Amino acid sequence: MDIKVTENGADRMKFTLSGVDPSIANSLRRAMIAEVPTMAVEKCQVYANSSPLPDEFLVHRLALVPLISTRVLHDWKDSTTQLIYTDECDCIQGCSRCQVELRLRVKNEDLEHNRTVTSMDIESRDVCEVDGGIHCVVPFDCKKHLEVDPQHAVVITKLRPLQEVDIRLIARKGIGRVHAKFSPVATAVFRYEADIRIDRDIMAKLSAKQRQAFANSCPTEVFKYHPDTQNVEVANNRECTFCNECVLVTKDFDLEHPDKYNGLVSIQEKHQIFHFTVESNGALPPAKIVSEALWVLKSKMERNLQAVKRATLGEGRDEGGMLMEGDDQMDIDG
């Protein structure tokens, strides 16, 4: 397996995965969508709500606000502040190890203008400081410590003069397989690399104008036309979307014989090279999403390997050969 990162931004990451078959690439894609843990609002207590939205609508919108979730990852540097799943905690009604308390309390005191309530108005009661850096739970709730563009805030509702909302929120750790609100990605897709081959014998029969039209037919500029040599070359096969526009344009070169230039270009998929695009919804950096998904797959394979070894050795089985309760089971989900 080989991974080559081609773009790594704050919200989007592009990389090329090679040396594996499509099942592994699809497993990685599904792990990023449904197996990487994040934080999301699970419970709400509405103390006041005179906004235009009913309580149910308002709570639903709050549950979908992406929460900064670096504290739930397996490689979080401070184990004392790392958040765990609720069912793994020994507490009864929730504690600082398995949940975070938030508060949305806003009243429009302006008698002349409406007020927009955003995620910047959500305050966290559980802000931890590690190595001199503030690690918040909700995006933009640490506006006193971080420089945040208000245009990036998530709009929750709007208030007319003297209207108010006062809601207590409880955020917990979860994965997208349980509920879509826990999914850390807005987009996680891959496409095969294109194997593009041009028949030079047929290309030699085209005029310079036709060659230029052929190169310009690609919407993603895969081909490049050189006016000085009148040659067409494959400049960037990574951008090919398999739209077949380069194939269709050849039928317009001779309307009486539309099949005359069939075979000018052939496009096939390389089933061992995959170009990934991962876009984060703000809960985690895209690089963290990819690394956590790889760790999840590695952990599943290790558990399955241990289960196979135990089954091979016959350990933990009753007289009928069935695994006894409490023994390792193979993890094949996802």
Side-chain angles (χ1 to χ4, degrees), residues 2 25 48 83-84 99 103 109 127 148 152 163-164 175 246 251 289 309 331:
D2 180 63
L83 292 168
I84 61 177
Q99 68 181 31
R103 194 67 176 260
E109 303 287 355
V127 178
V148 177
H152 295 167
Q163 289 184 340
E164 66 174 328
I175 57 176
C246 57
K251 298 184 180 299
I289 296 174
K309 288 182 178 179
D331 189 351

Side-chain angles (χ1 to χ4, degrees), residues 62-101:
L62 289 168
L64 294 176
V65 173
L67 309 184
I68 295 176
S69 305
T70 52
R71 288 174 56 193
V72 305
L73 301 181
H74 79 281
D75 58 351
W76 177 249
K77 62 184 74 176
D78 187 357
S79 59
T80 61
T81 60
Q82 186 179 34
L83 292 168
I84 61 177
Y85 291 104
T86 305
D87 55 2
E88 296 177 351
C89 192
D90 297 330
C91 67
I92 299 176
Q93 295 183 344
C95 64
S96 60
R97 289 278 288 148
C98 63
Q99 68 181 31
V100 175
E101 182 177 340

Side-chain angles (χ1 to χ4, degrees), residues 174-186:
I175 57 176
R177 187 177 63 183
V178 175
H179 195 286
K181 65 184 178 182
F182 291 109
S183 181
V185 298

